[in-house]
Amino acid sequence: MARDLVGIIKSAIRSEEDPRRGKVFRMYEWMSKITLDIICQTAFGYEADSLHDPHNELAEAYEQLLDLQSGSNLAKIALLMSIPGGAKVVGSKWAYDHRHWFRKIAFFSAVSDLIDSMYRIKRVSSSMLRQKMEDSAVTVSDTDAKRDIMSLLVRARKADLDKDNTVYAMSDQAMMDQVVKCLGAGHETTATGLSWTLWLLANDKKSQERLRSEVAPLFEGNPRPDYRSLKDLQWLDCVM
């Protein structure tokens, strides 16, 4: 996925009238896309492919949420959420069906987009969980079983309940809530950290060149280095 992003950036630079002058990129948007793709693949076995498909439902929903991140919008949303029962209403199917009402009230117009985004994220999350539940009902060998985190959790829960159906097990709703939390917290925080790292490197040529001189030889010998090889790169470790 990282190589795909590098290819996209290189292609955009080459298409410039004077490629030697480079091009300014809004890296947070790209970091958000690639971290979403990575966490969907590794944690849920879901192909978001937002790098190449900007109209993917999950990618669109998160992009809509990002557009709401202004001080005034966040203050309005926080005010609504502070009202007793407000969070429950915003996350309900009723609110989604009537979200246009909020748009008619200028003060709460951003809430309409929040409701729409959250509902779509929950819908995709529910679909992911339902697929994992269906997969867990089919007996396959350990070699053929899916290895993403959600598949492992669902299979572990099923194994526990098959042994003793009276033991505590996370409910479907709780598991879906974990999917939503993991998607939000797991990719946005990483995207923010990577964006700041790239900005700092762009403004520190000495550190940038030192990092490049350490990383380039490794990737020349192996375009897909393993974790151990990357872990040995001391300056990369300092940067990250």
Side-chain angles (χ1 to χ4, degrees):
M1 293 181 188
R3 288 192 296 175
D4 288 346
L5 178 56
V6 171
I8 290 170
I9 291 174
K10 285 183 175 180
S11 178
I13 292 173
R14 285 195 293 266
S15 66
E16 288 290 290
E17 190 172 320
D18 184 2
R20 293 173 300 177
R21 298 183 62 183
K23 180 181 175 66
V24 176
F25 292 90
R26 295 181 179 275
M27 290 309 298
Y28 180 73
E29 295 176 9
W30 287 107
M31 291 298 101
S32 181
K33 290 177 185 292
I34 194 170
T35 52
L36 179 64
D37 287 351
I38 290 171
I39 197 168
C40 282
Q41 180 66 49
T42 57
F44 310 112
Y46 174 78
E47 292 282 352
D49 196 25
S50 59
L51 274 180
H52 304 99
D53 180 14
H55 301 298
N56 173 277
E57 183 175 21
L58 195 58
E60 280 190 334
Y62 272 108
E63 190 169 342
Q64 191 172 30
L65 280 180
L66 291 178
D67 290 340
L68 295 177
Q69 292 187 11
S70 67
S72 60
N73 282 340
L74 293 176
K76 293 171 184 176
I77 291 170
L79 175 62
L80 180 62
M81 293 297 190
S82 68
I83 299 173
K88 187 175 182 179
V89 170
V90 169
S92 67
K93 177 69 163 58
W94 179 88
Y96 177 76
D97 291 338
H98 301 87
R99 61 193 184 282
H100 58 281
W101 290 359
F102 292 92
R103 195 172 296 280
K104 293 179 179 179
I105 305 172
F107 188 79
F108 284 132
S109 60
V111 175
S112 176
D113 290 334
L114 173 68
I115 293 170
D116 180 67
S117 299
M118 290 307 301
Y119 183 82
R120 289 196 286 166
I121 291 169
K122 286 182 178 180
R123 182 167 59 196
V124 174
S125 300
S126 178
S127 176
M128 287 184 196
L129 180 58
R130 185 168 58 252
Q131 182 62 53
K132 299 306 174 188
M133 297 293 290
E134 292 173 359
D135 291 343
S136 70
V138 180
T139 303
V140 295
S141 67
D142 289 340
T143 304
D144 296 328
K146 293 181 179 179
R147 310 299 295 177
D148 60 89
I149 297 171
M150 183 54 63
S151 292
L152 295 174
L153 286 174
V154 170
R155 286 203 301 274
R157 184 183 72 162
K158 183 177 184 299
D160 288 342
L161 290 175
D162 286 345
K163 291 179 183 177
D164 182 0
N165 60 12
T166 63
V167 300
Y168 168 78
M170 191 179 292
S171 67
D172 289 355
Q173 181 60 48
M175 292 194 76
M176 193 185 80
D177 290 342
Q178 290 302 313
V179 174
V180 174
K181 289 177 183 177
C182 191
L183 281 173
H187 98 274
E188 283 304 328
T189 51
T190 306
T192 301
L194 287 171
S195 299
W196 275 109
T197 300
L198 291 172
W199 184 85
L200 291 168
L201 283 173
N203 288 277
D204 186 347
K205 191 173 182 180
K206 184 178 179 180
S207 295
Q208 182 186 146
E209 290 176 348
R210 182 176 175 181
L211 179 62
R212 185 179 291 109
S213 65
E214 183 181 64
V215 171
L218 176 64
F219 279 85
E220 286 175 3
N222 180 9
R224 299 179 69 92
D226 57 26
Y227 173 72
R228 287 185 178 181
S229 299
L230 291 172
K231 190 178 180 181
D232 291 337
L233 302 180
Q234 296 182 1
W235 189 244
L236 175 63
D237 187 52
C238 291
V239 169
M240 298 307 295

mmCIF file of all heavy atoms in Angstrom, residues 201-239:
data_model
loop_
_atom_site.group_PDB
_atom_site.id
_atom_site.type_symbol
_atom_site.label_atom_id
_atom_site.label_comp_id
_atom_site.label_asym_id
_atom_site.label_seq_id
_atom_site.Cartn_x
_atom_site.Cartn_y
_atom_site.Cartn_z
ATOM 1 N N LEU A 201 10.011 16.690 8.845
ATOM 2 C CA LEU A 201 11.114 16.289 7.966
ATOM 3 C C LEU A 201 11.272 17.267 6.806
ATOM 4 O O LEU A 201 12.391 17.583 6.393
ATOM 5 C CB LEU A 201 10.879 14.875 7.422
ATOM 6 C CG LEU A 201 11.153 13.714 8.375
ATOM 7 C CD1 LEU A 201 10.700 12.404 7.745
ATOM 8 C CD2 LEU A 201 12.641 13.645 8.724
ATOM 9 N N ALA A 202 10.140 17.728 6.284
ATOM 10 C CA ALA A 202 10.191 18.676 5.167
ATOM 11 C C ALA A 202 10.859 19.983 5.581
ATOM 12 O O ALA A 202 11.434 20.690 4.732
ATOM 13 C CB ALA A 202 8.775 18.945 4.647
ATOM 14 N N ASN A 203 10.820 20.295 6.860
ATOM 15 C CA ASN A 203 11.418 21.527 7.360
ATOM 16 C C ASN A 203 12.776 21.301 8.045
ATOM 17 O O ASN A 203 13.322 22.213 8.656
ATOM 18 C CB ASN A 203 10.461 22.209 8.345
ATOM 19 C CG ASN A 203 9.264 22.826 7.657
ATOM 20 O OD1 ASN A 203 9.332 23.941 7.139
ATOM 21 N ND2 ASN A 203 8.170 22.088 7.623
ATOM 22 N N ASP A 204 13.287 20.091 7.942
ATOM 23 C CA ASP A 204 14.584 19.759 8.541
ATOM 24 C C ASP A 204 15.369 18.933 7.526
ATOM 25 O O ASP A 204 15.379 17.700 7.581
ATOM 26 C CB ASP A 204 14.370 18.972 9.835
ATOM 27 C CG ASP A 204 15.665 18.725 10.594
ATOM 28 O OD1 ASP A 204 16.754 18.946 10.011
ATOM 29 O OD2 ASP A 204 15.602 18.282 11.754
ATOM 30 N N LYS A 205 16.013 19.624 6.601
ATOM 31 C CA LYS A 205 16.684 18.948 5.500
ATOM 32 C C LYS A 205 17.794 18.013 5.976
ATOM 33 O O LYS A 205 18.010 16.935 5.409
ATOM 34 C CB LYS A 205 17.263 19.987 4.526
ATOM 35 C CG LYS A 205 17.742 19.385 3.214
ATOM 36 C CD LYS A 205 18.133 20.460 2.220
ATOM 37 C CE LYS A 205 18.563 19.828 0.896
ATOM 38 N NZ LYS A 205 18.948 20.867 -0.092
ATOM 39 N N LYS A 206 18.504 18.410 7.027
ATOM 40 C CA LYS A 206 19.591 17.586 7.534
ATOM 41 C C LYS A 206 19.076 16.231 8.025
ATOM 42 O O LYS A 206 19.642 15.170 7.687
ATOM 43 C CB LYS A 206 20.310 18.318 8.669
ATOM 44 C CG LYS A 206 21.527 17.585 9.199
ATOM 45 C CD LYS A 206 22.217 18.403 10.294
ATOM 46 C CE LYS A 206 23.429 17.660 10.854
ATOM 47 N NZ LYS A 206 24.103 18.444 11.929
ATOM 48 N N SER A 207 18.007 16.264 8.816
ATOM 49 C CA SER A 207 17.423 15.008 9.309
ATOM 50 C C SER A 207 16.826 14.203 8.160
ATOM 51 O O SER A 207 16.892 12.962 8.154
ATOM 52 C CB SER A 207 16.337 15.303 10.350
ATOM 53 O OG SER A 207 16.890 15.906 11.503
ATOM 54 N N GLN A 208 16.234 14.892 7.206
ATOM 55 C CA GLN A 208 15.646 14.226 6.055
ATOM 56 C C GLN A 208 16.710 13.469 5.267
ATOM 57 O O GLN A 208 16.516 12.303 4.890
ATOM 58 C CB GLN A 208 14.963 15.271 5.160
ATOM 59 C CG GLN A 208 14.262 14.688 3.954
ATOM 60 C CD GLN A 208 13.731 15.773 3.039
ATOM 61 O OE1 GLN A 208 13.720 15.602 1.826
ATOM 62 N NE2 GLN A 208 13.307 16.892 3.603
ATOM 63 N N GLU A 209 17.849 14.124 5.018
ATOM 64 C CA GLU A 209 18.925 13.481 4.264
ATOM 65 C C GLU A 209 19.542 12.330 5.043
ATOM 66 O O GLU A 209 19.897 11.298 4.474
ATOM 67 C CB GLU A 209 19.993 14.517 3.909
ATOM 68 C CG GLU A 209 19.518 15.534 2.869
ATOM 69 C CD GLU A 209 20.544 16.617 2.608
ATOM 70 O OE1 GLU A 209 21.521 16.708 3.394
ATOM 71 O OE2 GLU A 209 20.371 17.370 1.624
ATOM 72 N N ARG A 210 19.663 12.494 6.354
ATOM 73 C CA ARG A 210 20.208 11.411 7.187
ATOM 74 C C ARG A 210 19.297 10.189 7.149
ATOM 75 O O ARG A 210 19.761 9.044 7.071
ATOM 76 C CB ARG A 210 20.383 11.903 8.620
ATOM 77 C CG ARG A 210 20.984 10.869 9.553
ATOM 78 C CD ARG A 210 21.231 11.468 10.940
ATOM 79 N NE ARG A 210 21.704 10.464 11.871
ATOM 80 C CZ ARG A 210 21.978 10.688 13.141
ATOM 81 N NH1 ARG A 210 21.837 11.912 13.652
ATOM 82 N NH2 ARG A 210 22.402 9.715 13.935
ATOM 83 N N LEU A 211 17.986 10.424 7.206
ATOM 84 C CA LEU A 211 17.031 9.325 7.143
ATOM 85 C C LEU A 211 17.080 8.643 5.777
ATOM 86 O O LEU A 211 17.081 7.406 5.691
ATOM 87 C CB LEU A 211 15.616 9.841 7.415
ATOM 88 C CG LEU A 211 14.496 8.796 7.363
ATOM 89 C CD1 LEU A 211 14.698 7.727 8.435
ATOM 90 C CD2 LEU A 211 13.133 9.473 7.527
ATOM 91 N N ARG A 212 17.148 9.441 4.722
ATOM 92 C CA ARG A 212 17.192 8.882 3.371
ATOM 93 C C ARG A 212 18.440 8.021 3.169
ATOM 94 O O ARG A 212 18.382 6.940 2.565
ATOM 95 C CB ARG A 212 17.156 10.006 2.328
ATOM 96 C CG ARG A 212 17.066 9.496 0.886
ATOM 97 C CD ARG A 212 17.008 10.626 -0.121
ATOM 98 N NE ARG A 212 15.752 11.350 -0.029
ATOM 99 C CZ ARG A 212 15.640 12.593 0.449
ATOM 100 N NH1 ARG A 212 16.707 13.242 0.889
ATOM 101 N NH2 ARG A 212 14.475 13.178 0.489
ATOM 102 N N SER A 213 19.583 8.485 3.674
ATOM 103 C CA SER A 213 20.828 7.731 3.507
ATOM 104 C C SER A 213 20.801 6.415 4.280
ATOM 105 O O SER A 213 21.472 5.455 3.909
ATOM 106 C CB SER A 213 22.020 8.577 3.975
ATOM 107 O OG SER A 213 21.945 8.828 5.372
ATOM 108 N N GLU A 214 20.015 6.343 5.357
ATOM 109 C CA GLU A 214 19.901 5.111 6.128
ATOM 110 C C GLU A 214 18.916 4.140 5.489
ATOM 111 O O GLU A 214 19.150 2.923 5.457
ATOM 112 C CB GLU A 214 19.445 5.429 7.553
ATOM 113 C CG GLU A 214 19.361 4.198 8.453
ATOM 114 C CD GLU A 214 18.880 4.527 9.849
ATOM 115 O OE1 GLU A 214 17.716 4.976 9.983
ATOM 116 O OE2 GLU A 214 19.651 4.342 10.804
ATOM 117 N N VAL A 215 17.812 4.669 4.976
ATOM 118 C CA VAL A 215 16.740 3.820 4.453
ATOM 119 C C VAL A 215 17.000 3.346 3.023
ATOM 120 O O VAL A 215 16.713 2.185 2.682
ATOM 121 C CB VAL A 215 15.392 4.578 4.517
ATOM 122 C CG1 VAL A 215 14.307 3.815 3.775
ATOM 123 C CG2 VAL A 215 14.987 4.811 5.963
ATOM 124 N N ALA A 216 17.547 4.229 2.171
ATOM 125 C CA ALA A 216 17.701 3.917 0.749
ATOM 126 C C ALA A 216 18.460 2.617 0.471
ATOM 127 O O ALA A 216 17.986 1.792 -0.328
ATOM 128 C CB ALA A 216 18.376 5.086 0.034
ATOM 129 N N PRO A 217 19.616 2.369 1.108
ATOM 130 C CA PRO A 217 20.342 1.116 0.815
ATOM 131 C C PRO A 217 19.530 -0.137 1.121
ATOM 132 O O PRO A 217 19.610 -1.133 0.398
ATOM 133 C CB PRO A 217 21.578 1.209 1.729
ATOM 134 C CG PRO A 217 21.762 2.658 1.977
ATOM 135 C CD PRO A 217 20.374 3.219 2.047
ATOM 136 N N LEU A 218 18.747 -0.106 2.196
ATOM 137 C CA LEU A 218 17.926 -1.260 2.556
ATOM 138 C C LEU A 218 16.882 -1.544 1.487
ATOM 139 O O LEU A 218 16.697 -2.698 1.073
ATOM 140 C CB LEU A 218 17.251 -1.014 3.907
ATOM 141 C CG LEU A 218 16.267 -2.098 4.373
ATOM 142 C CD1 LEU A 218 16.997 -3.420 4.594
ATOM 143 C CD2 LEU A 218 15.564 -1.667 5.654
ATOM 144 N N PHE A 219 16.199 -0.503 1.021
ATOM 145 C CA PHE A 219 15.131 -0.693 0.035
ATOM 146 C C PHE A 219 15.668 -1.012 -1.352
ATOM 147 O O PHE A 219 14.969 -1.612 -2.160
ATOM 148 C CB PHE A 219 14.233 0.548 -0.006
ATOM 149 C CG PHE A 219 13.216 0.581 1.097
ATOM 150 C CD1 PHE A 219 13.539 1.077 2.357
ATOM 151 C CD2 PHE A 219 11.940 0.087 0.897
ATOM 152 C CE1 PHE A 219 12.611 1.098 3.381
ATOM 153 C CE2 PHE A 219 10.996 0.101 1.915
ATOM 154 C CZ PHE A 219 11.338 0.599 3.173
ATOM 155 N N GLU A 220 16.883 -0.610 -1.629
ATOM 156 C CA GLU A 220 17.492 -0.982 -2.906
ATOM 157 C C GLU A 220 17.731 -2.484 -2.972
ATOM 158 O O GLU A 220 17.561 -3.113 -4.010
ATOM 159 C CB GLU A 220 18.807 -0.230 -3.092
ATOM 160 C CG GLU A 220 18.625 1.240 -3.432
ATOM 161 C CD GLU A 220 19.950 1.988 -3.484
ATOM 162 O OE1 GLU A 220 21.009 1.331 -3.315
ATOM 163 O OE2 GLU A 220 19.939 3.215 -3.678
ATOM 164 N N GLY A 221 18.112 -3.068 -1.827
ATOM 165 C CA GLY A 221 18.358 -4.505 -1.790
ATOM 166 C C GLY A 221 17.094 -5.328 -1.627
ATOM 167 O O GLY A 221 17.027 -6.480 -2.056
ATOM 168 N N ASN A 222 16.063 -4.738 -1.014
ATOM 169 C CA ASN A 222 14.816 -5.456 -0.759
ATOM 170 C C ASN A 222 13.662 -4.467 -0.684
ATOM 171 O O ASN A 222 13.520 -3.761 0.318
ATOM 172 C CB ASN A 222 14.922 -6.244 0.554
ATOM 173 C CG ASN A 222 13.641 -7.017 0.860
ATOM 174 O OD1 ASN A 222 12.730 -7.109 0.035
ATOM 175 N ND2 ASN A 222 13.565 -7.587 2.065
ATOM 176 N N PRO A 223 12.835 -4.392 -1.738
ATOM 177 C CA PRO A 223 11.721 -3.429 -1.754
ATOM 178 C C PRO A 223 10.692 -3.660 -0.646
ATOM 179 O O PRO A 223 9.932 -2.769 -0.310
ATOM 180 C CB PRO A 223 11.078 -3.643 -3.141
ATOM 181 C CG PRO A 223 12.110 -4.361 -3.936
ATOM 182 C CD PRO A 223 12.895 -5.181 -2.972
ATOM 183 N N ARG A 224 10.687 -4.873 -0.066
ATOM 184 C CA ARG A 224 9.728 -5.196 1.005
ATOM 185 C C ARG A 224 10.485 -5.766 2.210
ATOM 186 O O ARG A 224 10.387 -6.957 2.511
ATOM 187 C CB ARG A 224 8.683 -6.204 0.506
ATOM 188 C CG ARG A 224 7.840 -5.703 -0.657
ATOM 189 C CD ARG A 224 6.855 -6.768 -1.105
ATOM 190 N NE ARG A 224 5.838 -6.998 -0.110
ATOM 191 C CZ ARG A 224 4.666 -6.377 -0.066
ATOM 192 N NH1 ARG A 224 4.386 -5.466 -0.973
ATOM 193 N NH2 ARG A 224 3.781 -6.644 0.870
ATOM 194 N N PRO A 225 11.236 -4.928 2.901
ATOM 195 C CA PRO A 225 12.011 -5.414 4.050
ATOM 196 C C PRO A 225 11.103 -5.873 5.189
ATOM 197 O O PRO A 225 10.001 -5.363 5.357
ATOM 198 C CB PRO A 225 12.830 -4.188 4.462
ATOM 199 C CG PRO A 225 12.032 -3.023 3.975
ATOM 200 C CD PRO A 225 11.397 -3.475 2.706
ATOM 201 N N ASP A 226 11.591 -6.841 5.959
ATOM 202 C CA ASP A 226 10.793 -7.344 7.084
ATOM 203 C C ASP A 226 10.956 -6.430 8.303
ATOM 204 O O ASP A 226 11.771 -5.500 8.308
ATOM 205 C CB ASP A 226 11.175 -8.793 7.433
ATOM 206 C CG ASP A 226 12.655 -8.946 7.763
ATOM 207 O OD1 ASP A 226 13.285 -7.959 8.203
ATOM 208 O OD2 ASP A 226 13.189 -10.055 7.564
ATOM 209 N N TYR A 227 10.172 -6.733 9.335
ATOM 210 C CA TYR A 227 10.152 -5.881 10.530
ATOM 211 C C TYR A 227 11.518 -5.820 11.202
ATOM 212 O O TYR A 227 11.948 -4.753 11.655
ATOM 213 C CB TYR A 227 9.103 -6.396 11.515
ATOM 214 C CG TYR A 227 9.131 -5.682 12.839
ATOM 215 C CD1 TYR A 227 8.668 -4.368 12.953
ATOM 216 C CD2 TYR A 227 9.623 -6.310 13.982
ATOM 217 C CE1 TYR A 227 8.699 -3.700 14.167
ATOM 218 C CE2 TYR A 227 9.651 -5.646 15.196
ATOM 219 C CZ TYR A 227 9.190 -4.345 15.286
ATOM 220 O OH TYR A 227 9.226 -3.687 16.482
ATOM 221 N N ARG A 228 12.203 -6.944 11.270
ATOM 222 C CA ARG A 228 13.507 -6.968 11.937
ATOM 223 C C ARG A 228 14.508 -6.039 11.257
ATOM 224 O O ARG A 228 15.292 -5.355 11.908
ATOM 225 C CB ARG A 228 14.051 -8.395 11.973
ATOM 226 C CG ARG A 228 13.332 -9.307 12.956
ATOM 227 C CD ARG A 228 13.987 -10.658 13.045
ATOM 228 N NE ARG A 228 13.316 -11.514 14.023
ATOM 229 C CZ ARG A 228 13.699 -12.753 14.303
ATOM 230 N NH1 ARG A 228 14.747 -13.271 13.691
ATOM 231 N NH2 ARG A 228 13.049 -13.463 15.197
ATOM 232 N N SER A 229 14.484 -6.036 9.928
ATOM 233 C CA SER A 229 15.403 -5.172 9.180
ATOM 234 C C SER A 229 15.108 -3.704 9.451
ATOM 235 O O SER A 229 16.011 -2.895 9.648
ATOM 236 C CB SER A 229 15.296 -5.461 7.680
ATOM 237 O OG SER A 229 15.647 -6.800 7.392
ATOM 238 N N LEU A 230 13.826 -3.358 9.487
ATOM 239 C CA LEU A 230 13.434 -1.976 9.747
ATOM 240 C C LEU A 230 13.741 -1.574 11.190
ATOM 241 O O LEU A 230 14.126 -0.435 11.458
ATOM 242 C CB LEU A 230 11.940 -1.796 9.469
ATOM 243 C CG LEU A 230 11.505 -1.899 8.001
ATOM 244 C CD1 LEU A 230 9.991 -1.908 7.897
ATOM 245 C CD2 LEU A 230 12.077 -0.745 7.182
ATOM 246 N N LYS A 231 13.594 -2.527 12.096
ATOM 247 C CA LYS A 231 13.837 -2.236 13.512
ATOM 248 C C LYS A 231 15.295 -1.870 13.775
ATOM 249 O O LYS A 231 15.609 -1.137 14.722
ATOM 250 C CB LYS A 231 13.437 -3.455 14.353
ATOM 251 C CG LYS A 231 13.414 -3.189 15.851
ATOM 252 C CD LYS A 231 12.955 -4.427 16.615
ATOM 253 C CE LYS A 231 12.943 -4.159 18.112
ATOM 254 N NZ LYS A 231 12.525 -5.368 18.875
ATOM 255 N N ASP A 232 16.204 -2.378 12.938
ATOM 256 C CA ASP A 232 17.636 -2.111 13.116
ATOM 257 C C ASP A 232 18.037 -0.716 12.639
ATOM 258 O O ASP A 232 19.175 -0.290 12.862
ATOM 259 C CB ASP A 232 18.464 -3.162 12.371
ATOM 260 C CG ASP A 232 18.360 -4.539 13.022
ATOM 261 O OD1 ASP A 232 18.044 -4.584 14.226
ATOM 262 O OD2 ASP A 232 18.576 -5.546 12.331
ATOM 263 N N LEU A 233 17.137 -0.010 11.956
ATOM 264 C CA LEU A 233 17.448 1.324 11.462
ATOM 265 C C LEU A 233 17.266 2.334 12.598
ATOM 266 O O LEU A 233 16.157 2.726 12.925
ATOM 267 C CB LEU A 233 16.550 1.676 10.268
ATOM 268 C CG LEU A 233 16.644 0.715 9.071
ATOM 269 C CD1 LEU A 233 15.703 1.167 7.961
ATOM 270 C CD2 LEU A 233 18.071 0.622 8.548
ATOM 271 N N GLN A 234 18.355 2.748 13.180
ATOM 272 C CA GLN A 234 18.298 3.562 14.399
ATOM 273 C C GLN A 234 17.726 4.959 14.162
ATOM 274 O O GLN A 234 16.949 5.460 14.974
ATOM 275 C CB GLN A 234 19.696 3.659 15.018
ATOM 276 C CG GLN A 234 20.226 2.312 15.494
ATOM 277 C CD GLN A 234 21.587 2.430 16.150
ATOM 278 O OE1 GLN A 234 22.143 3.517 16.273
ATOM 279 N NE2 GLN A 234 22.133 1.299 16.581
ATOM 280 N N TRP A 235 18.108 5.601 13.060
ATOM 281 C CA TRP A 235 17.600 6.949 12.829
ATOM 282 C C TRP A 235 16.114 6.930 12.467
ATOM 283 O O TRP A 235 15.364 7.815 12.859
ATOM 284 C CB TRP A 235 18.419 7.655 11.745
ATOM 285 C CG TRP A 235 18.074 9.109 11.619
ATOM 286 C CD1 TRP A 235 17.535 9.756 10.561
ATOM 287 C CD2 TRP A 235 18.237 10.127 12.639
ATOM 288 N NE1 TRP A 235 17.333 11.088 10.815
ATOM 289 C CE2 TRP A 235 17.764 11.343 12.104
ATOM 290 C CE3 TRP A 235 18.734 10.115 13.943
ATOM 291 C CZ2 TRP A 235 17.774 12.528 12.818
ATOM 292 C CZ3 TRP A 235 18.736 11.301 14.658
ATOM 293 C CH2 TRP A 235 18.273 12.479 14.103
ATOM 294 N N LEU A 236 15.699 5.901 11.737
ATOM 295 C CA LEU A 236 14.278 5.731 11.438
ATOM 296 C C LEU A 236 13.499 5.578 12.742
ATOM 297 O O LEU A 236 12.425 6.148 12.901
ATOM 298 C CB LEU A 236 14.058 4.522 10.540
ATOM 299 C CG LEU A 236 12.592 4.160 10.238
ATOM 300 C CD1 LEU A 236 11.904 5.285 9.475
ATOM 301 C CD2 LEU A 236 12.511 2.848 9.454
ATOM 302 N N ASP A 237 14.053 4.812 13.673
ATOM 303 C CA ASP A 237 13.417 4.634 14.967
ATOM 304 C C ASP A 237 13.303 5.961 15.716
ATOM 305 O O ASP A 237 12.288 6.250 16.338
ATOM 306 C CB ASP A 237 14.222 3.625 15.796
ATOM 307 C CG ASP A 237 13.513 3.256 17.097
ATOM 308 O OD1 ASP A 237 12.329 2.872 17.031
ATOM 309 O OD2 ASP A 237 14.136 3.371 18.158
ATOM 310 N N CYS A 238 14.346 6.781 15.614
ATOM 311 C CA CYS A 238 14.306 8.108 16.263
ATOM 312 C C CYS A 238 13.245 8.990 15.638
ATOM 313 O O CYS A 238 12.529 9.713 16.332
ATOM 314 C CB CYS A 238 15.687 8.785 16.142
ATOM 315 S SG CYS A 238 16.973 8.018 17.121
ATOM 316 N N VAL A 239 13.135 8.950 14.328
ATOM 317 C CA VAL A 239 12.159 9.784 13.614
ATOM 318 C C VAL A 239 10.739 9.374 13.965
ATOM 319 O O VAL A 239 9.872 10.212 14.232
ATOM 320 C CB VAL A 239 12.384 9.702 12.099
ATOM 321 C CG1 VAL A 239 11.215 10.345 11.343
ATOM 322 C CG2 VAL A 239 13.694 10.367 11.708
#
